[in-house]
Amino acid sequence: MSAAAVRTTRRRRSDGRMLRLFVPLAAYTLFTIVPFYWMLLFAVRPDGSTSLVPWPLTRRNFVTVWDTLGYSVFVRNSVLIAVITLLFVTVVALMGGYALARFRFAGRKAFILMLLCTQFVPGAMMLIPLFTVFKSLGLIDSRWSVIIAETTFQLPLAMILMSGFIRNVPMELEESAMVDGCGRIRAFLAVVLPLLRPGIVAVGSFAFIGAWNNFLFALMFLDDPTKQTIPVGLSSTIGENTVDFGALAAGGVVAAVPVVLVFAVVQRFLVQGLSAGAVKG
Amino acid sequence: MTTAPADTPPNEPGRPRRGGARLLRRRLAPYTLIAPTLALLGTFLLFPIGTVLYDSLRHDNPTEPWDNGFAGLDNFRRLLHDSTFWSSLAFTGKWVVLEVALQLALGLALALMLNETFVGRSVARALVFSPWAVSGVLTTSIWLLLYNPATGVLHYLSRLGVGSPSTAVLSDPSTVVWAAVLAELWRGVPFFAILLLADLQSIPKELYEASSVDGAGRTRRFVHVTLPHLRDAVVLATLLRGVWEFNNVDLLYTLTGGGPAGQTTTLPLYVAQTARNSYDFGYGSALTTAAFVILLFFCIVYLRLSKFGEER
């Protein structure tokens, strides 16, 4: 092929790519970004402005949200709940996932069946009976109720994912460590755990995002406003008769920034991990 | 987390010691590992489910204490004649089908596009996936801003001559469903896109090369290589997402509150209203039980399709 011919084919190929790939992708990216932009716009734009470019910037909405609407407290509660849930889910999912990936034991099938079926339990419909359970445990109005409920509902999927990740670590690595004199636990900690880092990051960030976003459990089990979380704070801004859109947007930004950041960092691991076969877990 | 091999005690397990105790420990190990899970799921999931099933057979309404007690199938008889139950079930079905079909179509298209190599792909991925991390209430907040008739996106579009000015899409019965569907699509499509992209990346390149050598074009490669490979992931993701959309409460609860006039009330929303507003726990439990039965059907299909029990 002559150089000119190569150039023409290339150009034709890139025209095709424009139509097939970049135009629809740009359209979809716009659909993704505009809502985020709108929220940011309302959060930093001075009251009464209708400009689509937020200039001059104002901090006023954030000050309102942080000081008057109690977000400084909500953020602390949300961080606390999300981090403890992350730790619980990750540790328990590691234990259970290891059992599923490495042991054959009586009742294993029934256990997996139970994990799969819990995916079909509507969390919203469990609120009343869960309320009764927490009440009898004296955990109503305690942040532990949200942590425990969130951990319980996230655990099955986290465990299935984690066992997929563990299964992808060759058993021989552990066996050779054990032949070298390590115990099972030490072999796991020294050999398997470092290789599981992407899996732990994926499962842990799932747990963090889920707990950070939890709305119904916090709404239902926590009455005390000093224990409330961000989503409930947001919904109470919505619920009032006259919505302060600036405050709503600023609250939204505060709620969105941590999860979107976490997600942007881990989505690479997520795709890797899922394609490593965990989907079929 | 590494440990120096030097501090390994000489009689650490790994080579045979006294058999009995070790064997027992090996036997018990998996049960020790799953014990916390069993305790959590038992106390906070299975036991509450049992309570729901039991309560569905009772009159349990603190505002009508004289009537409380065992009621047999009363609640279920009432359910059969409850038009709100049927209309909420019908809307749930419509919601699930719309959401899942549109999310699958858009998600697949996105996954295929993001699977190609181009400059800025990782940025595009992070951007396009990001709404997935956003919660129902946050999605609601964002879309309330967008849909607001006075200051929302539609207002600006109408100034450019697109659409009519000041349409209140959320209070207009003819648009409210679509407004809710669109908001949920925004955060739901990335789920399919991520899952399907992951599956696309697990297709061996040799398969495409082989079919190229055989003279297959882009379309044929898609139909004969890509689609068959994606089938399992599509089926499972569709089912799971279907159940999640069935159970989706937070978005509809805060975006439309089930309104206007019950237009966007799903079955879970109706249950929440029954329990929260009218304190009718017995009837709420019966509605929940009905939902369980419907979801059980999905569960069975899921287990069949995920080939539960074969090679695990």
Side-chain angles (χ1 to χ4, degrees):
Chain A
M1 230 188 280
S2 73
V6 169
R7 224 173 297 130
T8 337
T9 353
R10 254 195 216 141
R11 192 174 319 129
R12 203 172 303 136
R13 257 182 66 195
S14 81
D15 282 354
R17 264 167 88 84
M18 278 306 277
L19 282 180
R20 209 185 68 243
L21 185 63
F22 295 119
V23 171
L25 196 58
Y28 196 88
T29 311
L30 207 63
F31 171 61
T32 303
I33 292 177
V34 165
F36 280 125
Y37 180 73
W38 217 255
M39 176 171 71
L40 202 62
L41 182 69
F42 274 73
V44 300
R45 196 170 65 174
D47 240 19
S49 160
T50 53
S51 161
L52 284 182
V53 184
W55 198 261
L57 299 177
T58 172
R59 282 189 325 178
R60 205 191 60 100
N61 290 319
F62 288 97
V63 174
T64 309
V65 156
W66 198 257
D67 295 341
T68 322
L69 296 180
Y71 270 64
S72 52
V73 179
F74 298 158
V75 168
R76 211 186 52 216
N77 290 332
S78 282
V79 168
L80 201 71
I81 288 175
V83 169
I84 298 180
T85 305
L86 178 161
L87 292 176
F88 277 9
V89 169
T90 312
V91 170
V92 181
L94 263 175
M95 291 169 66
Y98 186 79
L100 286 178
R102 293 291 196 248
F103 289 96
R104 317 242 126 220
F105 53 93
R108 184 170 174 276
K109 265 193 175 185
F111 184 64
I112 298 176
L113 188 69
M114 182 179 76
L115 292 183
L116 291 177
C117 276
T118 54
Q119 292 308 303
F120 297 81
V121 176
M125 298 194 173
M126 303 303 292
L127 288 174
I128 295 155
L130 266 178
F131 186 89
T132 322
V133 172
F134 284 127
K135 197 165 187 177
S136 61
L137 292 174
L139 289 178
I140 290 299
D141 236 358
S142 155
R143 280 162 290 220
W144 287 109
S145 61
V146 180
I147 293 169
I148 292 172
E150 193 60 26
T151 304
T152 306
F153 277 81
Q154 288 197 18
L155 199 51
L157 198 61
M159 196 171 296
I160 291 170
L161 274 176
M162 196 68 99
S163 83
F165 282 110
I166 295 174
R167 215 174 300 131
N168 282 332
V169 177
M171 188 114 92
E172 293 76 35
L173 285 178
E174 258 165 293
E175 277 164 358
S176 66
M178 278 157 81
V179 168
D180 288 346
C182 281
R184 196 175 258 280
I185 295 175
R186 183 179 296 255
F188 177 76
L189 293 180
V191 179
V192 185
L193 205 59
L195 293 172
L196 277 180
R197 209 172 294 145
I200 291 172
V201 171
V203 169
S205 37
F206 262 161
F208 180 87
I209 292 172
W212 181 269
N213 285 336
N214 178 283
F215 169 61
L216 287 172
F217 292 150
L219 180 74
M220 198 68 179
F221 305 146
L222 302 175
D223 251 345
D224 184 347
T226 63
K227 290 181 177 147
Q228 267 318 344
T229 57
I230 298 174
V232 181
L234 266 179
S235 83
S236 64
T237 321
I238 298 169
E240 282 150 19
N241 291 332
T242 50
V243 183
D244 178 349
F245 284 111
L248 182 64
V253 172
V254 174
V257 165
V259 280
V260 171
L261 278 185
V262 166
F263 189 71
V265 174
V266 301
Q267 50 95 14
R268 195 165 43 93
F269 291 107
L270 216 60
V271 174
Q272 266 173 22
L274 290 172
S275 69
V279 182
K280 280 131 196 153
Chain B
M1 217 177 281
T2 47
T3 31
D7 59 22
T8 310
N11 61 347
E12 190 68 21
R15 55 188 78 94
R17 266 190 321 176
R18 263 162 296 146
R22 220 183 135 241
L23 195 68
L24 186 67
R25 191 141 34 101
R26 243 195 94 73
R27 276 282 178 78
L28 286 180
Y31 298 106
T32 319
L33 288 169
I34 63 170
T37 313
L38 286 177
L40 274 175
L41 293 181
T43 318
F44 300 105
L45 205 73
L46 301 181
F47 174 72
I49 291 176
T51 323
V52 169
L53 297 183
Y54 174 68
D55 281 348
S56 70
L57 301 174
R58 285 166 42 88
H59 281 303
D60 184 0
N61 187 341
T63 63
E64 297 169 357
W66 56 89
D67 219 15
N68 286 351
F70 192 75
L73 295 176
D74 271 13
N75 287 322
F76 291 98
R77 250 171 255 137
R78 182 176 151 198
L79 180 150
L80 288 178
H81 298 107
D82 179 355
S83 62
T84 314
F85 166 71
W86 292 109
S87 66
S88 67
L89 191 61
F91 177 68
T92 312
K94 184 176 168 186
W95 171 259
V96 169
V97 171
L98 273 176
E99 279 299 337
V100 172
L102 291 171
Q103 286 178 25
L104 173 63
L106 286 170
L108 179 60
L110 263 182
L112 289 169
M113 292 189 281
L114 292 172
N115 195 34
E116 308 233 357
T117 335
F118 57 90
V119 180
R121 177 174 71 165
S122 56
V123 176
R125 277 187 190 173
L127 278 179
V128 163
F129 290 165
S130 55
W132 185 84
V134 168
S135 73
V137 184
L138 184 48
T139 308
T140 299
S141 314
I142 294 175
W143 286 83
L144 278 177
L145 295 169
L146 284 166
Y147 285 151
N148 184 278
T151 54
V153 147
L154 294 176
H155 173 76
Y156 283 89
L157 283 178
S158 76
R159 276 213 249 156
L160 297 174
V162 187
S164 59
S166 69
T167 354
V169 285
L170 287 174
S171 44
D172 184 341
S174 66
T175 51
V176 63
V177 173
W178 292 102
V181 164
L182 189 70
E184 177 63 20
L185 271 185
W186 179 73
R187 72 156 174 172
V189 170
F191 168 81
F192 274 98
I194 293 171
L195 225 66
L196 295 179
L197 177 61
D199 215 42
L200 283 176
Q201 299 200 330
S202 71
I203 303 180
K205 287 224 165 44
E206 297 79 49
L207 279 180
Y208 285 111
E209 281 156 17
S211 63
S212 280
V213 170
D214 292 346
R218 180 180 298 283
T219 320
R220 301 241 341 236
R221 286 204 300 267
F222 178 71
V223 172
H224 294 289
V225 181
T226 313
L227 276 187
H229 187 93
L230 285 180
R231 204 191 53 203
D232 283 357
V234 166
V235 170
L236 295 185
T238 306
L239 261 172
L240 271 181
R241 197 67 198 176
V243 170
W244 288 338
E245 290 300 351
F246 184 104
N247 293 331
N248 176 329
V249 171
D250 50 4
L251 179 104
L252 289 170
Y253 180 92
T254 46
L255 189 67
T256 67
Q263 274 246 328
T264 56
T265 302
T266 57
L267 185 54
L269 219 53
Y270 181 44
V271 173
Q273 284 162 0
T274 309
R276 252 191 104 100
N277 305 342
S278 34
Y279 299 102
D280 201 338
F281 297 130
Y283 189 53
S285 300
L287 290 171
T288 307
T289 306
F292 278 152
V293 172
I294 296 165
L295 291 169
L296 192 67
F297 169 76
F298 282 104
C299 187
I300 291 167
V301 175
Y302 174 69
L303 293 175
R304 276 283 160 81
L305 292 173
S306 66
K307 306 205 174 60
F308 165 69
E310 290 173 23
E311 180 269 331
R312 262 183 192 285

